[in-house]
Amino acid sequence: MPPSTLAIAMIIPDTKTYLLVGSVLAVLAAATAVGQVLKRRLDAGLNPAIVEQFHLRVRTWWLMCTVLAAAFIVGREITVVLFGLISFWSLREFITLTPTRPGDHRALFWVFFVITPLQYVLVGLEEYSLYSILIPVFGFLFITARVSFSGDPKRFLERTAKIMAGLMICVYCLSFAPALLSLPPKGKPIDENARLLFFFVLVVQFADIAHYLWGKLLGKRLIAPEVSAGRTWEGFLGGIASATLFGTVLWWSVPLTAWQAACLSALTATAGMAGGMTMSAIKRDRGVKDYGTLVVGHGGVLDRIDSICFAAPVFYYAVRVMLDQWPTG
Amino acid sequence: MLSRWPRRLSEYNFRQGDGTSFSNVIERPARSKTLAPLPDDFANRGWFARLTASVLAGTAKLISGASARWIDCQPDTCQRVYFANHTSHLDAVVIWAALPPEVRSLARPVAAADYWEKNAIRRYLAHQVFNALLIDRLKVKVHQSPVDLMLRAIGDRYSLIVFPEGGRTSGEELGEFKSGLYYLSKKRPELELVPVHIDNVNRVLPRGEVLPVPLLSCITFGPPIYLEHREPKAEFLRRARDAVLRLKEM
């Protein structure tokens, strides 16, 4: 492909992208319309809390899709920066919720102002061999060492584990979402990878909303009442089935066969549900319902992206396997 | 008997002496005779100080992630004393930043002179930006007690931000209140005493640290309290302390 064609292909989205964005807009418009109808029928005996939840989710969808679409048009770097900011904010919520001791202060400063930005700089530079080990290896070594140097041994393992969990969930895992944009081979039009990222966000969010609706419609058997009073096996399975169907219908937008898309969607949706469940457990342990209600006036970013955090690395490596691009050597 | 003290100066009828007015209940205290009111330079400060103030307030809000909650209390430009628990160096700045701009420019944090007089930048910030009232902890004069200085500093226009615990506490326990708040409202009983609870700022910048960690904190403003007629000092101070503690639970 001559360089000029390549440049144009990177700027102008192809037909498939238009189709994908168009169908998403159509679904969103339909969801908004349903929401409006539900709002008018509130007196007809519908639970207002459920309608409110529905609205909240639809609004998040609009926001996410608008921001993603805007980021695609402006470029890969902007998308990476955007995910970096989301990581920073959700880590802020995570650590605020987690009790730390004054001895952790310096380590936390490094976590927020060095490790988190560095991870996203490496993702931006497409240094896969570095960003895939930065936090689990060097971040782990550094944090445990830095906390020990601060001279406070009280509940040492517990404290370092909490900081590490925050970094892994909010920064490391989430950074695999923008990393999708630099899937090899290098130099291919960004559109294909951008559609993969879009597909990923859509499937996870769809699984979330489907899980919620199935749970409300059929939910009976709670998975773990101590962890979450709303998560049922019916919702869990219904969510995965719906998301698989959804992903299969959208197979044409990604460079995979329909079968691969179905497997990928099922896997991603399962990981996303597991993420929601895990974050639920952390929240219950700390005695809060939402990260958003933790501090009044701040929307709970972590509440909205918990499933994305967990599903991102699973999706990333599954796609690499399916495209036969498993990192070797 | 009044259910509450009059809240605004305008409500407070000093002249009326017909026996029905509360001017009989509250004796307007004579302003301190030793200290004349100061000329108000701060109201005429330059554009640079104003710009610095808004930039600093924005930065403080960004770093501390502070959200302000007002419970049974609204931001107002009337004369108030905001009293809060003290957990971090940043406390005064965070409360000051949490106030809306027009209220903020009238609020004077009370701070230690030995820290803020140290160099030119700190002096500039203290005098031109925060309009802080600097108290010299080392030499408290007989006729210039901190309470007299505070009364002179607020005149009939400004509000104060004070930390009645005296020193910073670890952030877990709220210490006993010092008596300044009591003497302040004894001389100016119409001042609204607004309890403020600061949550999590001590984790943003713990004692002895220089670099902040951007966690989320919360500033809660509660319903004003007033010194009741003939209320004993200890009882009033306990009530004030409870008012701050109660906000922690809300």
Side-chain angles (χ1 to χ4, degrees):
Chain A
M1 199 188 293
S4 58
T5 329
L6 191 74
I8 291 168
M10 284 173 87
I11 298 162
I12 304 170
D14 58 19
T15 342
K16 278 184 180 175
T17 310
Y18 276 128
L19 260 173
L20 185 62
V21 173
S23 30
V24 169
L25 286 181
V27 171
L28 273 182
T32 310
V34 169
Q36 288 303 322
V37 171
L38 285 179
K39 212 174 196 173
R40 297 243 173 82
R41 298 249 176 102
L42 258 189
D43 3 289
L46 275 168
N47 186 349
I50 297 178
V51 178
E52 190 46 47
Q53 270 289 326
F54 185 78
H55 267 283
L56 201 69
R57 275 154 207 262
V58 171
R59 260 210 303 278
T60 317
W61 267 61
W62 272 110
L63 194 71
M64 239 178 237
C65 290
T66 316
V67 170
L68 267 180
F72 289 161
I73 292 165
V74 185
R76 193 179 65 87
E77 289 78 6
I78 301 295
T79 316
V80 174
V81 170
L82 184 81
F83 275 95
L85 292 175
I86 297 174
S87 267
F88 190 86
W89 191 273
S90 46
L91 185 65
R92 205 177 183 186
E93 290 179 354
F94 190 98
I95 301 286
T96 300
L97 186 78
T98 316
T100 54
R101 290 171 61 82
D104 305 335
H105 187 81
R106 300 267 168 100
L108 284 174
F109 184 84
W110 281 85
V111 163
F112 276 102
F113 291 110
V114 180
I115 300 178
T116 304
L118 187 59
Q119 172 76 6
Y120 278 90
V121 167
L122 292 175
V123 170
L125 294 174
E126 312 191 329
E127 292 290 346
Y128 172 83
S129 53
L130 281 177
Y131 71 69
S132 59
I133 57 168
L134 177 76
I135 289 172
V137 179
F138 298 111
F140 168 73
L141 295 176
F142 179 80
I143 287 164
T144 42
R146 188 67 196 81
V147 173
S148 72
F149 272 82
S150 75
D152 179 5
K154 209 167 188 182
R155 296 202 304 274
F156 179 83
L157 272 178
E158 199 181 314
R159 281 155 55 208
T160 46
K162 280 171 183 164
I163 301 175
M164 261 324 276
L167 257 184
M168 287 298 288
I169 295 170
C170 304
V171 182
Y172 181 74
C173 287
L174 187 63
S175 71
F176 277 92
L180 283 169
L181 292 179
S182 36
L183 276 179
K186 272 196 175 171
K188 75 170 167 183
I190 193 177
D191 253 59
E192 205 171 289
N193 287 337
R195 278 199 310 269
L196 265 173
L197 175 55
F198 209 64
F199 176 85
F200 162 68
V201 175
L202 285 177
V203 169
V204 175
Q205 290 293 307
F206 188 85
D208 244 15
I209 213 166
H211 163 255
Y212 180 76
L213 289 178
W214 282 117
K216 281 284 165 236
L217 284 175
L218 302 174
K220 281 199 179 65
R221 279 174 286 265
L222 288 171
I223 299 176
E226 292 280 299
V227 170
S228 168
R231 290 176 191 274
T232 56
W233 283 113
E234 290 82 357
F236 187 74
L237 296 175
I240 293 171
S242 313
T244 309
L245 198 67
F246 181 78
T248 317
V249 171
L250 284 179
W251 67 271
W252 46 269
S253 64
V254 284
L256 302 168
T257 64
W259 272 112
Q260 282 177 322
C263 293
L264 186 64
S265 308
L267 205 57
T268 313
T270 314
M273 304 274 177
M277 195 74 186
T278 311
M279 296 312 260
S280 238
I282 296 175
K283 283 186 278 191
R284 275 315 155 278
D285 179 40
R286 300 299 313 138
V288 291
K289 190 171 174 294
D290 293 311
Y291 287 99
T293 52
L294 172 71
V295 175
V296 184
H298 290 286
V301 175
L302 205 44
D303 290 326
R304 297 275 84 85
I305 63 155
D306 48 8
S307 41
I308 291 190
C309 289
F310 269 68
V314 174
F315 185 89
Y316 180 88
Y317 285 106
V319 165
R320 287 196 83 151
V321 169
M322 288 174 180
L323 294 177
D324 205 14
Q325 286 162 350
W326 188 258
T328 50
Chain B
M1 187 62 200
L2 280 165
S3 62
R4 63 171 177 88
W5 296 105
R7 296 196 170 191
R8 308 277 180 282
L9 270 180
S10 53
E11 277 181 62
Y12 188 76
N13 193 343
F14 303 126
R15 294 288 157 84
Q16 217 172 330
D18 55 20
T20 57
S21 151
F22 28 67
S23 57
N24 287 358
V25 183
I26 307 164
E27 200 125 319
R28 167 126 170 106
R31 281 275 172 69
S32 178
K33 277 171 196 125
T34 49
L35 301 168
L38 298 169
D40 194 354
D41 289 334
F42 182 74
N44 307 316
R45 66 198 166 137
W47 63 271
F48 186 72
R50 286 171 201 273
L51 183 70
T52 315
S54 21
V55 169
L56 266 179
T59 315
K61 273 197 258 191
L62 204 66
I63 289 176
S64 64
S67 54
R69 294 192 298 163
W70 295 79
I71 296 173
D72 296 331
C73 180
Q74 290 300 317
D76 198 319
T77 51
C78 68
Q79 281 196 286
R80 281 174 167 171
V81 178
Y82 302 94
F83 62 101
N85 56 328
H86 200 11
T87 58
S88 158
H89 262 320
L90 282 181
D91 285 346
V93 179
V94 170
I95 295 183
W96 173 82
L99 296 168
E102 64 276 12
V103 183
R104 190 190 304 148
S105 63
L106 294 174
R108 302 193 62 177
V110 177
D114 44 284
Y115 179 81
W116 287 100
E117 293 283 6
K118 220 163 218 168
N119 60 44
I121 294 175
R122 283 185 193 175
R123 260 199 302 282
Y124 178 80
L125 288 177
H127 292 294
Q128 298 291 312
V129 177
F130 300 127
N131 196 19
L133 168 62
L134 301 182
I135 303 276
D136 199 331
R137 291 185 285 195
L138 305 175
K139 39 182 178 180
V140 175
K141 293 172 192 161
V142 179
H143 293 293
Q144 284 201 2
S145 74
V147 171
D148 288 334
L149 286 171
M150 287 181 207
L151 287 172
R152 179 173 69 157
I154 59 177
D156 53 9
R157 180 175 158 77
Y158 290 103
S159 299
L160 286 176
I161 300 173
V162 299
F163 300 98
E165 282 168 277
R168 273 195 307 276
T169 48
S170 65
E172 303 296 324
E173 289 281 315
L174 184 61
E176 292 298 323
F177 278 8
K178 301 231 164 135
S179 52
L181 202 60
Y182 170 77
Y183 292 114
L184 203 61
S185 28
K186 192 151 191 181
K187 294 205 172 165
R188 291 282 303 275
E190 85 287 3
L191 287 177
E192 286 191 2
L193 307 177
V194 178
V196 183
H197 184 261
I198 302 175
D199 194 22
N200 232 5
V201 175
N202 59 321
R203 288 178 68 202
V204 173
L205 190 69
R207 162 180 277 174
E209 295 288 344
V210 187
L211 299 168
V213 162
L215 301 178
L216 299 168
S217 54
C218 186
I219 311 294
T220 312
F221 297 87
I225 64 166
Y226 303 88
L227 177 62
E228 301 290 340
H229 185 51
R230 287 194 179 157
E231 188 175 6
K233 188 173 86 177
E235 200 165 295
F236 167 76
L237 291 176
R238 193 176 333 115
R239 200 157 60 87
R241 187 170 173 271
D242 288 345
V244 174
L245 275 178
R246 203 179 316 125
L247 297 176
K248 191 180 180 178
E249 314 303 327
M250 290 171 114

Coordinates of all heavy atoms in Angstrom, one line a residue, chain A residues 123-176:
Chain A
V123 N 2.1 2.5 26.9 CA 1.1 2.1 26.0 C 1.1 3.0 24.7 O 0.9 2.5 23.6 CB -0.3 2.1 26.7 CG1 -1.4 1.8 25.7 CG2 -0.3 1.0 27.8
G124 N 1.2 4.3 25.0 CA 1.2 5.2 23.9 C 2.4 5.0 22.9 O 2.3 5.1 21.7
L125 N 3.5 4.6 23.5 CA 4.7 4.3 22.7 C 4.7 2.9 22.1 O 5.7 2.5 21.4 CB 6.0 4.5 23.5 CG 6.3 5.9 24.0 CD1 7.5 5.9 24.9 CD2 6.5 6.8 22.8
E126 N 3.7 2.1 22.4 CA 3.5 0.8 21.9 C 4.6 -0.2 22.3 O 5.0 -1.1 21.6 CB 3.4 0.8 20.3 CG 2.4 1.8 19.8 CD 2.1 1.7 18.3 OE1 3.0 1.2 17.6 OE2 1.0 2.0 18.0
E127 N 5.2 0.1 23.5 CA 6.2 -0.8 24.1 C 5.6 -1.9 24.8 O 5.6 -2.0 26.0 CB 7.1 0.0 25.0 CG 7.9 1.1 24.3 CD 9.1 0.5 23.5 OE1 9.4 -0.7 23.6 OE2 9.6 1.3 22.7
Y128 N 5.1 -2.9 24.1 CA 4.4 -4.0 24.7 C 5.2 -4.7 25.7 O 4.8 -5.0 26.8 CB 3.9 -5.0 23.6 CG 3.3 -6.3 24.2 CD1 2.0 -6.3 24.7 CD2 4.1 -7.4 24.4 CE1 1.5 -7.4 25.3 CE2 3.6 -8.5 25.0 CZ 2.3 -8.5 25.4 OH 1.8 -9.7 26.0
S129 N 6.5 -5.0 25.4 CA 7.3 -5.8 26.3 C 7.6 -5.1 27.6 O 7.9 -5.7 28.6 CB 8.7 -6.1 25.6 OG 9.2 -4.8 25.2
L130 N 7.4 -3.7 27.7 CA 7.6 -3.0 28.9 C 6.2 -2.9 29.7 O 6.1 -3.1 30.9 CB 8.2 -1.7 28.7 CG 9.7 -1.7 28.5 CD1 10.2 -0.3 28.2 CD2 10.4 -2.2 29.7
Y131 N 5.2 -2.4 28.9 CA 4.0 -2.1 29.7 C 3.3 -3.4 30.2 O 2.5 -3.3 31.1 CB 3.0 -1.2 28.9 CG 2.3 -1.7 27.7 CD1 1.3 -2.7 27.8 CD2 2.6 -1.2 26.4 CE1 0.7 -3.2 26.7 CE2 1.9 -1.7 25.3 CZ 1.0 -2.7 25.5 OH 0.3 -3.1 24.3
S132 N 3.6 -4.5 29.6 CA 2.9 -5.8 30.1 C 3.5 -6.3 31.4 O 3.0 -7.1 32.0 CB 3.1 -6.8 29.0 OG 4.4 -7.1 28.7
I133 N 4.7 -5.7 31.8 CA 5.3 -6.2 33.0 C 5.6 -5.0 34.0 O 5.9 -5.3 35.2 CB 6.6 -6.9 32.8 CG1 7.6 -6.0 32.0 CG2 6.4 -8.3 32.1 CD1 9.0 -6.6 32.0
L134 N 5.4 -3.8 33.6 CA 5.7 -2.7 34.4 C 5.1 -2.8 35.8 O 5.8 -2.8 36.8 CB 5.3 -1.4 33.8 CG 5.6 -0.1 34.7 CD1 7.1 0.2 34.6 CD2 4.8 1.1 34.2
I135 N 3.8 -2.9 35.9 CA 3.1 -2.9 37.2 C 3.2 -4.2 37.9 O 3.6 -4.2 39.1 CB 1.7 -2.4 37.0 CG1 1.7 -0.9 36.7 CG2 0.8 -2.7 38.3 CD1 0.4 -0.3 36.3
P136 N 2.9 -5.4 37.3 CA 3.0 -6.6 38.0 C 4.4 -7.0 38.5 O 4.5 -7.6 39.6 CB 2.5 -7.7 37.1 CG 2.2 -7.0 35.8 CD 2.4 -5.6 35.9
V137 N 5.4 -6.6 37.8 CA 6.8 -6.9 38.3 C 7.4 -5.7 39.0 O 7.6 -5.7 40.2 CB 7.7 -7.4 37.1 CG1 9.1 -7.7 37.6 CG2 7.0 -8.6 36.4
F138 N 7.7 -4.7 38.2 CA 8.5 -3.6 38.8 C 7.7 -2.8 39.8 O 8.2 -2.3 40.8 CB 9.1 -2.7 37.7 CG 10.0 -3.5 36.9 CD1 9.7 -3.8 35.5 CD2 11.2 -4.0 37.4 CE1 10.6 -4.6 34.8 CE2 12.1 -4.8 36.6 CZ 11.8 -5.0 35.3
G139 N 6.4 -2.6 39.5 CA 5.5 -1.8 40.4 C 5.4 -2.5 41.7 O 5.6 -1.9 42.8
F140 N 5.3 -3.9 41.6 CA 5.2 -4.7 42.9 C 6.4 -4.5 43.7 O 6.4 -4.3 44.9 CB 4.9 -6.1 42.5 CG 5.0 -7.1 43.7 CD1 4.1 -7.1 44.6 CD2 6.1 -7.9 43.8 CE1 4.2 -8.0 45.7 CE2 6.3 -8.8 44.8 CZ 5.3 -8.8 45.8
L141 N 7.6 -4.7 43.1 CA 8.8 -4.7 43.8 C 9.0 -3.3 44.4 O 9.4 -3.1 45.6 CB 10.0 -5.0 42.9 CG 10.0 -6.4 42.3 CD1 11.2 -6.5 41.3 CD2 10.1 -7.4 43.4
F142 N 8.7 -2.3 43.6 CA 9.0 -0.9 44.1 C 8.1 -0.5 45.3 O 8.5 0.0 46.3 CB 8.7 0.1 43.0 CG 8.9 1.5 43.4 CD1 10.2 2.0 43.5 CD2 7.9 2.3 43.8 CE1 10.4 3.3 43.9 CE2 8.0 3.6 44.2 CZ 9.3 4.1 44.3
I143 N 6.8 -0.9 45.2 CA 5.8 -0.5 46.2 C 6.1 -1.1 47.5 O 6.2 -0.5 48.6 CB 4.4 -0.8 45.8 CG1 4.0 0.2 44.7 CG2 3.4 -0.7 47.0 CD1 2.8 -0.2 44.0
T144 N 6.4 -2.5 47.5 CA 6.7 -3.1 48.8 C 8.0 -2.5 49.4 O 8.0 -2.3 50.6 CB 6.9 -4.6 48.5 OG1 7.6 -4.8 47.4 CG2 5.6 -5.3 48.4
A145 N 9.0 -2.3 48.5 CA 10.2 -1.7 49.0 C 10.0 -0.3 49.6 O 10.4 0.0 50.7 CB 11.3 -1.7 47.9
R146 N 9.3 0.5 48.9 CA 9.1 1.9 49.3 C 8.3 2.0 50.6 O 8.6 2.8 51.5 CB 8.3 2.7 48.2 CG 8.2 4.2 48.5 CD 9.6 4.8 48.4 NE 9.6 6.2 49.0 CZ 9.8 6.4 50.3 NH1 9.8 5.4 51.1 NH2 9.9 7.6 50.7
V147 N 7.3 1.1 50.8 CA 6.5 1.1 52.0 C 7.4 0.6 53.2 O 7.4 1.2 54.3 CB 5.3 0.2 51.9 CG1 4.6 0.1 53.2 CG2 4.3 0.9 50.9
S148 N 8.3 -0.3 52.9 CA 9.1 -0.8 54.0 C 10.1 0.2 54.4 O 10.4 0.4 55.6 CB 9.9 -2.1 53.6 OG 10.9 -1.8 52.6
F149 N 10.6 1.0 53.5 CA 11.6 2.1 53.8 C 10.9 3.2 54.7 O 11.6 4.0 55.3 CB 12.2 2.7 52.5 CG 13.4 2.0 52.1 CD1 13.3 0.8 51.3 CD2 14.6 2.5 52.4 CE1 14.4 0.2 50.9 CE2 15.8 1.8 52.0 CZ 15.7 0.7 51.2
S150 N 9.6 3.3 54.6 CA 8.9 4.3 55.4 C 8.9 4.0 56.8 O 8.6 4.9 57.7 CB 7.5 4.6 54.9 OG 6.7 3.5 55.3
G151 N 9.2 2.8 57.2 CA 9.4 2.5 58.6 C 8.2 2.2 59.4 O 8.2 2.3 60.6
D152 N 7.1 1.7 58.8 CA 5.9 1.4 59.5 C 5.5 0.0 59.2 O 4.9 -0.3 58.1 CB 4.8 2.4 59.2 CG 3.5 2.1 59.9 OD1 3.5 1.2 60.7 OD2 2.5 2.7 59.6
P153 N 5.8 -1.0 60.0 CA 5.6 -2.4 59.7 C 4.2 -2.9 59.9 O 3.9 -4.0 59.6 CB 6.6 -3.2 60.6 CG 6.7 -2.3 61.8 CD 6.5 -0.9 61.3
K154 N 3.4 -2.0 60.5 CA 2.0 -2.5 60.9 C 1.2 -2.9 59.7 O 1.0 -2.2 58.8 CB 1.3 -1.4 61.7 CG 0.3 -1.9 62.7 CD -0.1 -0.8 63.6 CE -0.9 -1.4 64.7 NZ -1.4 -0.3 65.6
R155 N 0.6 -4.1 59.7 CA -0.2 -4.7 58.7 C 0.4 -4.5 57.3 O -0.2 -4.0 56.4 CB -1.6 -4.1 58.7 CG -2.4 -4.4 60.0 CD -3.8 -4.3 59.8 NE -4.2 -2.9 59.3 CZ -4.4 -1.9 60.1 NH1 -4.4 -2.1 61.4 NH2 -4.8 -0.8 59.6
F156 N 1.7 -4.8 57.2 CA 2.5 -4.4 56.0 C 2.0 -5.1 54.8 O 1.7 -4.4 53.7 CB 4.0 -4.8 56.3 CG 4.9 -4.6 55.1 CD1 5.4 -3.3 54.9 CD2 5.1 -5.6 54.2 CE1 6.2 -3.1 53.8 CE2 6.0 -5.3 53.1 CZ 6.5 -4.1 52.9
L157 N 1.8 -6.4 54.8 CA 1.3 -7.2 53.6 C 0.0 -6.7 53.2 O -0.3 -6.5 52.0 CB 1.3 -8.7 53.9 CG 2.6 -9.4 53.7 CD1 2.4 -10.9 54.1 CD2 3.0 -9.3 52.2
E158 N -0.9 -6.5 54.2 CA -2.3 -6.0 53.9 C -2.3 -4.7 53.1 O -2.9 -4.5 52.1 CB -3.0 -5.9 55.2 CG -4.5 -5.9 55.1 CD -5.1 -5.7 56.5 OE1 -4.6 -6.4 57.4 OE2 -6.0 -4.9 56.6
R159 N -1.4 -3.8 53.6 CA -1.4 -2.4 53.0 C -0.8 -2.5 51.6 O -1.4 -1.9 50.7 CB -0.5 -1.5 53.9 CG -1.3 -1.0 55.1 CD -0.3 -0.6 56.2 NE 0.7 0.3 55.8 CZ 1.9 0.4 56.3 NH1 2.3 -0.4 57.3 NH2 2.8 1.3 55.9
T160 N 0.3 -3.2 51.4 CA 0.9 -3.2 50.1 C 0.0 -3.9 49.1 O -0.1 -3.6 48.0 CB 2.3 -3.9 50.1 OG1 2.2 -5.1 50.9 CG2 3.3 -3.0 50.7
A161 N -0.7 -5.0 49.6 CA -1.7 -5.7 48.8 C -2.8 -4.8 48.3 O -3.2 -4.9 47.1 CB -2.2 -6.9 49.5
K162 N -3.2 -3.9 49.2 CA -4.3 -3.0 48.8 C -3.9 -2.1 47.7 O -4.6 -1.8 46.7 CB -4.8 -2.2 50.0 CG -5.7 -3.0 50.9 CD -6.0 -2.3 52.1 CE -6.9 -3.1 53.1 NZ -6.8 -2.6 54.4
I163 N -2.7 -1.5 47.9 CA -2.2 -0.6 46.8 C -2.0 -1.3 45.5 O -2.4 -0.8 44.4 CB -0.9 0.1 47.3 CG1 -1.1 0.8 48.6 CG2 -0.3 1.0 46.3 CD1 0.1 1.4 49.2
M164 N -1.4 -2.5 45.6 CA -1.2 -3.3 44.4 C -2.5 -3.6 43.7 O -2.6 -3.5 42.5 CB -0.5 -4.6 44.7 CG 1.0 -4.6 44.5 SD 1.6 -3.7 43.1 CE 1.4 -4.9 41.8
A165 N -3.5 -4.0 44.5 CA -4.8 -4.3 43.9 C -5.4 -3.1 43.1 O -5.9 -3.3 42.0 CB -5.8 -4.8 45.0
G166 N -5.3 -1.9 43.7 CA -5.8 -0.7 43.1 C -5.1 -0.5 41.8 O -5.7 -0.2 40.7
L167 N -3.7 -0.7 41.8 CA -2.9 -0.4 40.6 C -3.3 -1.4 39.5 O -3.4 -1.1 38.3 CB -1.5 -0.6 40.9 CG -0.6 0.7 41.1 CD1 0.8 0.3 41.3 CD2 -0.8 1.6 39.8
M168 N -3.4 -2.7 39.9 CA -3.7 -3.8 38.9 C -5.0 -3.6 38.3 O -5.2 -3.6 37.0 CB -3.6 -5.1 39.6 CG -2.3 -5.6 40.0 SD -1.2 -5.8 38.5 CE -1.9 -7.3 37.8
I169 N -6.1 -3.3 39.1 CA -7.4 -3.2 38.5 C -7.6 -1.9 37.8 O -8.0 -1.9 36.6 CB -8.5 -3.3 39.7 CG1 -8.4 -4.7 40.3 CG2 -9.9 -3.0 39.1 CD1 -9.2 -4.7 41.6
C170 N -7.3 -0.8 38.4 CA -7.6 0.5 37.8 C -6.6 0.9 36.7 O -7.0 1.7 35.8 CB -7.6 1.6 38.9 SG -8.8 1.2 40.2
V171 N -5.4 0.5 36.8 CA -4.4 1.0 35.8 C -4.0 -0.1 34.9 O -4.2 0.0 33.6 CB -3.2 1.6 36.5 CG1 -2.2 2.2 35.5 CG2 -3.6 2.7 37.5
Y172 N -3.4 -1.2 35.4 CA -2.8 -2.2 34.5 C -3.9 -2.8 33.6 O -3.8 -2.8 32.4 CB -2.2 -3.3 35.4 CG -1.5 -4.4 34.6 CD1 -0.3 -4.1 33.9 CD2 -2.1 -5.6 34.5 CE1 0.3 -5.1 33.2 CE2 -1.5 -6.6 33.8 CZ -0.3 -6.4 33.1 OH 0.3 -7.4 32.4
C173 N -5.0 -3.3 34.2 CA -6.0 -4.0 33.4 C -6.6 -3.0 32.5 O -6.8 -3.4 31.3 CB -7.1 -4.6 34.4 SG -6.5 -6.0 35.2
L174 N -7.0 -1.8 32.9 CA -7.7 -0.9 32.0 C -6.8 -0.5 30.9 O -7.3 -0.3 29.8 CB -8.2 0.3 32.8 CG -9.0 1.3 32.0 CD1 -10.3 0.6 31.6 CD2 -9.4 2.5 32.8
S175 N -5.5 -0.5 31.1 CA -4.6 0.0 30.0 C -4.6 -0.9 28.8 O -4.1 -0.6 27.7 CB -3.2 0.3 30.5 OG -2.6 -1.0 30.8
F176 N -5.1 -2.1 29.0 CA -5.2 -3.1 27.8 C -6.3 -2.7 26.8 O -6.3 -3.2 25.7 CB -5.3 -4.5 28.3 CG -4.0 -5.1 28.7 CD1 -3.6 -5.1 30.0 CD2 -3.2 -5.7 27.7 CE1 -2.3 -5.6 30.3 CE2 -2.0 -6.3 28.0 CZ -1.5 -6.2 29.3

